[in-house]
Amino acid sequence: MSETSMSLADIRKLAADTLMAHGCDAENAGVVADTVTRAEGDGCHSHGLMRLPGYVATLKSGKVNGKARPTVSKLAPAVVQVNGHNCFAPMALNEGRAHLIEAAKTCGIAAMPLIGIHHFAALWAEVEPIADAGLVGFACTSYKPAVIPAGGTKALYGTNPICFGWPRPGKPSMVFDQASSVMARGEVMLASREGHTLPEGVGVDADGNPSTNPDDVLKGALLAFGGYKGSSIAMMVELLAGGLIGESFSFEAAKRDNGDGGPPQGGEFMFAMDPNLMGDADGWAAHADAFFDKMLEQDNVRLPGARRHKNRSETAKTGVAVSNIVLDKISAL
Ligand code: NDP
């Protein structure tokens, strides 16, 4: 696969310029470009530059407002709602984050429902700043139907990622972030682009037959990880990011969507908790670190997020090898 080496600054500029050329103002473009750059820098290519054509498609079709100004409303002392008014999710998160952190530090726990947003990114980039601010964080979002409920035959759930962050004062926060499908759809798209087959058990084709061909699975559906257990996690995400906060379930978002290839309008649910207000203010950090040390005593055990942190420290110096297929698609925009 042919690649071009790019610095993180070049990646950010390419992303921001492309978004601005298609209708984003500087603020909206900058926030999304930061998200794209962080994904490339951490080696999460499925949510980096590869997503630009999808972002642009939604701007061109008018589904996303690239000049939106999200608004924040305090629904209760510990509930901060952000209405994105059809912006890309990172813009709404940027607007709400400080309010969520402040509410959690005041009340011990606080929730942030996000409505009217278009989510096309990786969740770790959203939860990491919450954990870096000293809070336990959680986020989840739904999408369009892509995953079959356990026992069923038709996609109903989105790939519905969940992300959990744990603060570690003086050390990188522990953040895990996973789709509730066996594999994220972005990874299947990556396999399609690179001509790889998928492992067994990832998904089915449009007729419901098991398939390892990524193109067939993209036309068919994915399976939840861990059978009925992952299926329940995906269902929980539908309820938290849709039913709880007055936003769409994945199947409703798909009905409204114009099919331009970019993310539908939907919701996201986040919460944050202050470990200093949960009963062990003096001890929680050392106690949890001793637990992580115990985990890491075992060979081949690593903390989730460690791969990203390693990539981050390297790409800051070396830049990133970006696929020319992706760059050609961006030039063609
Ligand atoms: P992965 O299966 O690649 O990784 C899931 C998590 O497990 C990561 O935190 C990863 O850490 C960790 N991990 C992987 N291997 C190990 C290991 N050996 N030991 C310990 N931890 C490990 O992610 P997915 O494919 O499920 O999801 C990819 C991305 O797609 C996510 O960022 C998600 O937010 C995004 N997504 C977005 C959607 C949207 O609608 N916006 C929909 C679905 C997914 P590490 O990164 O360090 O490897």
Side-chain angles (χ1 to χ4, degrees):
M1 193 177 58
S2 73
E3 292 171 329
T4 299
S5 177
M6 292 179 76
S7 69
L8 294 179
D10 288 344
I11 289 173
R12 189 185 184 282
K13 182 168 173 7
L14 175 64
D17 288 351
T18 306
L19 291 162
M20 281 194 284
H22 291 93
C24 273
D25 62 20
E27 195 175 342
N28 280 264
V31 174
V32 176
D34 285 341
T35 301
V36 165
T37 308
R38 290 183 67 198
E40 290 290 349
D42 276 25
C44 300
H45 304 296
S46 60
H47 289 81
L49 288 171
M50 191 180 122
R51 297 273 160 167
L52 269 186
Y55 281 119
V56 167
T58 58
L59 291 166
K60 277 186 174 167
S61 76
K63 190 166 78 185
V64 167
N65 178 1
K67 298 183 171 67
R69 289 288 171 271
T71 49
V72 177
S73 317
K74 216 160 195 186
L75 304 185
V79 183
V80 180
Q81 183 199 57
V82 186
N83 186 333
H85 303 293
N86 283 329
C87 68
F88 292 122
M91 184 72 186
L93 283 149
N94 243 26
E95 201 62 40
R97 185 177 301 116
H99 299 276
L100 173 67
I101 291 172
E102 190 197 341
K105 289 194 171 176
T106 306
C107 303
I109 180 165
M112 183 162 76
L114 296 121
I115 60 172
I117 58 164
H118 295 257
H119 206 294
F120 216 34
L123 291 179
W124 57 261
E126 305 171 356
V127 171
E128 195 172 81
I130 305 289
D132 289 350
L135 302 173
V136 176
F138 173 85
C140 65
T141 187
S142 56
Y143 191 65
K144 289 192 277 192
V147 174
I148 303 171
T153 53
K154 284 189 228 130
L156 177 68
Y157 306 140
T159 44
N160 295 5
I162 57 169
C163 182
F164 175 82
W166 183 269
R168 302 181 73 199
K171 295 186 182 156
S173 302
M174 190 294 299
V175 178
F176 79 74
D177 174 16
Q178 59 194 41
S180 43
S181 49
V182 175
M183 192 179 268
R185 208 162 177 277
E187 298 293 336
V188 181
M189 287 158 67
L190 208 56
S192 159
R193 193 190 77 201
E194 291 175 1
H196 298 153
T197 53
L198 302 172
E200 301 276 345
V202 167
V204 296
D205 65 19
D207 299 321
N209 301 312
S211 173
T212 56
N213 179 326
D215 295 321
D216 290 347
V217 169
L218 287 171
K219 286 182 208 128
L222 291 158
L223 302 176
F225 77 88
Y228 61 87
K229 295 182 183 180
S231 180
S232 296
I233 302 283
M235 178 186 70
M236 176 189 79
V237 172
E238 295 286 337
L239 293 170
L240 291 177
L244 179 70
I245 65 171
E247 252 297 352
S248 334
F249 295 114
S250 291
F251 83 94
E252 293 169 336
K255 260 189 209 160
R256 263 204 327 264
D257 193 47
N258 63 8
D260 58 15
Q265 188 241 293
E268 175 172 4
F269 179 71
M270 292 186 81
F271 68 73
M273 294 185 285
D274 188 344
N276 291 319
L277 298 175
M278 292 284 163
D280 190 17
D282 295 332
W284 67 268
H287 194 194
D289 261 359
F291 166 71
F292 289 133
D293 289 345
K294 188 90 192 147
M295 274 174 70
L296 297 171
E297 275 172 12
Q298 298 187 35
D299 288 344
N300 300 321
V301 172
R302 70 161 170 94
L303 292 184
R307 177 194 63 91
R308 287 191 298 97
H309 291 134
K310 182 168 175 290
N311 286 337
R312 190 180 301 177
S313 63
E314 286 166 6
T315 58
K317 290 174 245 149
T318 62
V320 177
V322 179
S323 152
N324 286 334
I325 300 176
V326 170
L327 292 176
D328 288 347
K329 283 191 179 160
I330 294 170
S331 323
L333 293 172

